[in-house]
Amino acid sequence: MIPLKYNARNLVVRWKTTLMTASGFTLVVAALVVMLAFVEGVQKVCTTSGEPENVIVLAKGNNDEVFSQIDTRLASELENSRGVGRNDAGVPLASREIFLVVHRRLEQEGVFKFLQIRGVQPIAFDVHTQIRIIDGSPLRASQSEVIIGKGVQREHQLNVGDEIEMGRKSWKVAGVFEAGGSAFESEVWADLPELSSQFRREGVYSTMVLRTEGPEAAKELMTQLESSRSISCNPKTEPEYYAKQAEQTQMITSAAWIIAWFMGIGAIFGVMNTMFAAIGQRRKDIAVLRIIGFKAHEILISFLLEAILISIIGGFLGIGFGMSVNGFSRSTAIGAAREVAFAFSVTEGSIIFAACFSLAMGVVGGLLPALSVVRIQPLEALR
Amino acid sequence: MSDAIVTVDNCTKTYSRGAERVEVLKGVSLQILRGEFVALIGPSGSGKTTLLNLIAGLDQPTTGRVIVAERDISRMDESQLARWRTTAIGFVFQFYHLIPVLTAYENVELPLLLLNMTAKRRREQVLTVLHLVGLQHRLTHRPGQLSGGEQQRVGIARALVTDPALVVADEPTGDLDGRKKEEILDLLENLQRGLNKTILMVTHDHVAAARAHRLTRISDGLLLEERADTKEEALALAFPDAKIRGND
Ligand SMILES: Nc1ncnc2c1ncn2[C@@H]1O[C@H](COP(=O)(O)OP(=O)(O)OP(=O)(O)O)[C@@H](O)[C@H]1O
Ligand SMILES: [Mg+2]
């Protein structure tokens, strides 16, 4: 076998070309890693959001809380459905909620951001058991208070004691909560009656969340509601509902894939061009190797490895750059008008995938030039 | 078993360029004995390189046979020839043709990578031949850091490293002059004398030709019988004006 140092040193000798060619791979691989980290991050939020015991009920024909409207009559019917749990005081574990999205201007940055607001009753904290106050105090009714998810705290730079304008009045941030990384962390929670009156939404709810004994019971309740003739609504288990929301990031993902493919084709042509040039410049080397006794296919492999080496260098840098987004928090729009805070999550799987993608590009780009080596006639090349 | 390392038996070589056919060798027969240092001389375009390539297994004769070290190489295919060349033939080129990115040591080691050999054995062998050509202190130099004469010595070391039956050299001093040329010729002569190497050298330089044991002249695709009893007479025939040049 022709020693790899032969290829490595040639790459070093023409290091500018090497770096330029490799940078194509870096770009593609970095983009891939970031994209996969984005998808992974959003998916993580959406799959951790929602407890399998909970059934979220929206109005018939609605798939998103923002547009859903449930009236009081339907709400009480749902509340009394078979399978809905009760707390120690015998109150049904049914949370009537309204969900609003407003724009809020961030003074410092001068930009508008979505603010998702959920109006809840005290029972909500028995239904959504993931909620934990991590700073300040719990929500009190009728006190013009809100509690905010830690995603909101970060994105909107709000803290306990700050005031937020919502509706026609100002609300005080009483506490900050976390919710196991779920979408709730991107929300502001306020007292339901107080919020309804501010936004003139009295007597109408967006959703109703029913807590059952367990995942099985939740599924049962869901089918029961679906098949019920007297109740007309759109029930889903919470995990299902949020998984559905994650699907909407598919658009972004597809677009990113298309871009990655095009950049990939660019990188392939780049390495092809570089390798054709390299082979042209090293015809004499090739001739001598052949004369000494190396076979055409051994030289082919050597040049293919050189292309792969470029893809490894580029891919390595790309993975490095891509990984730097790991843990970086952003928010993204999912669903109709909802912004969810998520953290880019670079997984082992996506690194392996990106590395393989880079290698594959190297092989594809290097193959044609390497095959051309076979056609070089040693005696002609030395003349 | 004959003492001939090389037997060229009535070989012809015809190149066809489109409709045009060029008969470069028109029936050549030649024997080279073990341990001989033969110079192949002749005018430019007479077919010297063509004949050398046939003997070295780089090309096939159109008709006729070439037997080297008891093997009929005119019957071998390219894949067989490639491996055969590694051990049977050492190549020395006019323009050295070293791999620029490899060191002197690595260039010489290259042919050994094709053989089943431990790293230790390889190292011994490479150092031995580099010592032989007097470059033991230039192991890590790249060709670009060596003079022409030194590069050619690396080239010779590379040709010797597999201990081939035959060393072929096409104008080995063609790119060198003066003392450098003499040094390379000394080296080739010593290889023949000290190690009993068989050398076939193509040259059109009378100084180089004078170092060989035997002169074989090719003209217009045919080997000429020199009708000379001694090498000196052959030289005088081959290079009629060499005497005058030799005197100044
Ligand atoms: N591959 C080829 N195709 C066609 N013609 C060729 C080929 N190789 C050599 N020739 C022709 O064969 C003839 C002999 O070539 P060769 O290289 O053997 O000459 P030479 O004696 O080595 O000359 P020089 O001293 O200039 O090196 C030349 O006329 C050359 O043009
Ligand atoms: Mg020639």
Side-chain angles (χ1 to χ4, degrees):
Chain A
M1 197 180 124
I2 297 162
L4 262 180
K5 62 188 166 202
Y6 168 69
N7 308 99
R9 289 204 197 134
N10 273 298
L11 289 178
V12 172
V13 166
R14 54 183 166 94
W15 61 272
K16 277 184 198 157
T17 320
T18 303
L19 279 188
M20 242 149 62
T21 315
S23 69
F25 287 77
T26 306
L27 228 62
V28 176
V29 169
L32 258 180
V33 171
V34 170
M35 182 187 84
L36 292 174
F38 165 79
V39 172
E40 188 68 29
V42 172
Q43 225 119 49
K44 229 179 217 170
V45 172
C46 291
T47 50
T48 52
S49 295
E51 298 170 59
E53 299 88 352
N54 288 358
V55 175
I56 178 168
V57 183
L58 287 85
K60 187 88 187 163
N62 277 302
N63 283 315
D64 201 289
E65 287 182 275
V66 180
F67 305 120
S68 168
Q69 296 206 347
I70 291 174
D71 58 28
T72 322
R73 196 186 57 80
L74 176 58
S76 32
E77 269 182 65
L78 289 168
E79 214 164 61
N80 294 316
S81 296
R82 191 157 38 81
V84 177
R86 289 180 186 259
N87 71 2
D88 299 337
V91 181
L93 290 172
S95 171
R96 302 174 182 210
E97 301 172 1
I98 61 172
F99 184 73
L100 306 162
V101 179
V102 298
H103 266 106
R104 176 168 181 268
R105 191 177 143 85
L106 269 75
E107 293 302 334
Q108 275 172 353
E109 295 169 34
V111 291
F112 281 96
K113 278 195 176 170
F114 282 131
L115 195 59
Q116 284 117 201
I117 312 158
R118 189 177 297 277
V120 294
Q121 299 167 316
I123 193 74
F125 296 94
D126 292 332
V127 173
H128 300 290
T129 57
Q130 297 164 303
I131 307 293
R132 269 192 32 236
I133 300 290
I134 53 169
D135 193 12
S137 47
L139 183 65
R140 289 179 303 166
S142 315
Q143 298 293 320
S144 296
E145 275 183 6
V146 293
I147 55 172
I148 58 174
K150 62 179 192 183
V152 176
Q153 179 186 33
R154 188 182 54 238
E155 289 284 321
H156 287 260
Q157 289 136 35
L158 287 170
N159 274 306
V160 174
D162 287 350
E163 299 275 333
I164 320 180
E165 300 288 332
M166 290 185 332
R168 284 152 297 157
K169 70 173 179 184
S170 185
W171 308 65
K172 188 159 158 272
V173 176
V176 179
F177 65 87
E178 64 176 16
S182 70
F184 295 129
E185 289 183 357
S186 304
E187 295 178 356
V188 174
W189 283 21
D191 179 39
L192 176 73
E194 219 177 343
L195 192 68
S196 311
S197 77
Q198 281 301 308
F199 287 89
R200 302 199 180 285
R201 293 275 301 256
E202 292 98 337
V204 194
Y205 311 108
S206 308
T207 47
M208 182 89 188
V209 182
L210 309 171
R211 188 170 183 86
T212 65
E213 270 174 1
E216 283 309 309
K219 285 206 189 88
E220 233 166 78
L221 176 58
M222 189 181 104
T223 39
Q224 176 199 323
L225 290 175
E226 265 171 349
S227 58
S228 163
R229 246 171 286 163
S230 58
I231 300 174
S232 163
C233 65
N234 179 15
K236 283 205 167 57
T237 64
E238 264 189 358
E240 242 176 86
Y241 173 76
Y242 285 104
K244 199 101 193 151
Q245 304 257 311
E247 274 174 20
Q248 312 206 15
T249 59
Q250 209 89 70
M251 276 275 284
I252 303 173
T253 315
S254 320
W257 267 116
I258 291 170
I259 295 167
W261 277 114
F262 274 105
M263 290 199 306
I265 290 169
I268 287 170
F269 275 110
V271 76
M272 229 182 237
N273 186 47
T274 300
M275 289 313 295
F276 270 125
I279 288 164
Q281 280 159 10
R282 274 141 69 190
R283 282 167 57 88
K284 287 210 159 71
D285 284 13
I286 294 166
V288 168
L289 290 168
R290 291 285 300 274
I291 288 173
I292 286 175
F294 285 95
K295 293 183 184 168
H297 74 263
E298 292 173 300
I299 299 167
L300 184 158
I301 288 169
S302 169
F303 277 90
L304 188 56
L305 284 176
E306 191 164 317
I308 291 172
L309 224 50
I310 294 175
S311 78
I312 289 175
I313 296 168
F316 201 75
L317 290 175
I319 288 172
F321 285 130
M323 268 170 72
S324 64
V325 303
N326 196 22
F328 185 66
S329 295
R330 283 304 311 250
S331 57
T332 183
I334 66 164
R338 167 192 272 271
E339 221 160 272
V340 155
F342 69 97
F344 282 91
S345 162
V346 179
T347 62
E348 216 170 90
S350 46
I351 288 175
I352 292 170
F353 178 80
C356 292
F357 197 84
S358 187
L359 280 182
M361 286 193 299
V363 172
V364 171
L367 201 57
L368 217 56
L371 282 171
S372 78
V373 162
V374 176
R375 289 197 304 272
I376 293 176
Q377 298 296 321
L379 291 179
E380 240 166 66
L382 283 189
R383 247 205 308 268
Chain B
M1 180 176 129
S2 110
D3 222 21
I5 276 275
V6 177
T7 306
V8 177
D9 185 10
N10 199 21
C11 277
T12 67
K13 181 71 185 177
T14 308
Y15 290 112
S16 27
R17 258 176 302 206
E20 189 190 353
R21 286 161 55 84
V22 191
E23 200 174 12
V24 179
L25 299 179
K26 302 169 178 167
V28 170
S29 295
L30 170 72
Q31 278 211 334
I32 299 173
L33 304 184
R34 198 176 295 275
E36 255 190 326
F37 183 179
V38 178
L40 181 58
I41 57 177
S44 184
S46 56
K48 301 184 294 292
T49 299
T50 304
L51 178 57
L52 182 100
N53 288 343
L54 294 187
I55 293 171
L58 287 175
D59 209 350
Q60 299 281 18
T62 308
T63 63
R65 287 190 314 155
V66 179
I67 293 157
V68 180
E70 274 113 39
R71 293 196 60 181
D72 187 348
I73 62 167
S74 34
R75 289 180 198 283
M76 299 201 312
D77 63 23
E78 170 48 34
S79 161
Q80 288 172 304
L81 278 174
R83 281 294 184 263
W84 172 82
R85 283 197 300 266
T86 307
T87 49
I89 308 286
F91 290 89
V92 179
F93 304 94
Q94 176 175 359
F95 299 109
Y96 330 125
H97 293 320
L98 303 174
I99 307 286
V101 296
L102 298 182
T103 64
Y105 180 94
E106 289 158 351
N107 265 287
V108 174
E109 189 186 27
L110 216 44
L112 295 184
L113 298 177
L114 288 164
L115 308 178
N116 238 334
M117 205 179 256
T118 64
K120 186 163 168 283
R121 270 290 310 281
R122 270 208 309 271
R123 186 167 174 78
E124 281 168 13
Q125 213 143 320
V126 173
L127 291 178
T128 306
V129 288
L130 276 169
H131 195 89
L132 210 64
V133 299
L135 282 183
Q136 62 277 28
H137 56 294
R138 289 279 188 276
L139 302 182
T140 57
H141 288 234
R142 305 261 177 102
Q145 302 165 317
L146 297 171
S147 73
E150 285 172 324
Q151 287 186 58
Q152 191 59 299
R153 286 196 267 163
V154 176
I156 291 170
R158 179 178 64 187
L160 291 174
V161 76
T162 59
D163 193 21
L166 175 70
V167 173
V168 296
D170 197 345
E171 309 269 12
T173 58
D175 198 44
L176 300 170
D177 43 38
R179 218 167 48 80
K180 300 276 181 196
K181 179 163 88 176
E182 294 291 348
E183 277 172 17
I184 294 301
L185 291 169
D186 286 345
L187 185 55
L188 289 174
E189 216 175 1
N190 287 340
L191 292 178
Q192 184 276 323
R193 206 175 280 152
L195 300 172
N196 201 33
K197 287 279 160 205
T198 312
I199 302 171
L200 173 61
M201 173 176 71
V202 165
T203 184
H204 43 222
D205 174 41
H206 74 279
V207 176
R211 296 295 194 94
H213 282 174
R214 181 152 76 92
L215 293 188
T216 306
R217 189 141 72 104
I218 189 167
S219 177
D220 202 17
L222 289 169
L223 285 188
L224 296 185
E225 279 301 324
E226 286 298 6
R227 271 191 260 284
D229 296 328
T230 64
K231 194 180 79 177
E232 282 65 33
E233 283 179 38
L235 263 175
L237 271 170
F239 301 97
D241 30 323
K243 231 351 187 228
I244 312 153
R245 268 189 273 136
N247 276 351
D248 44 55

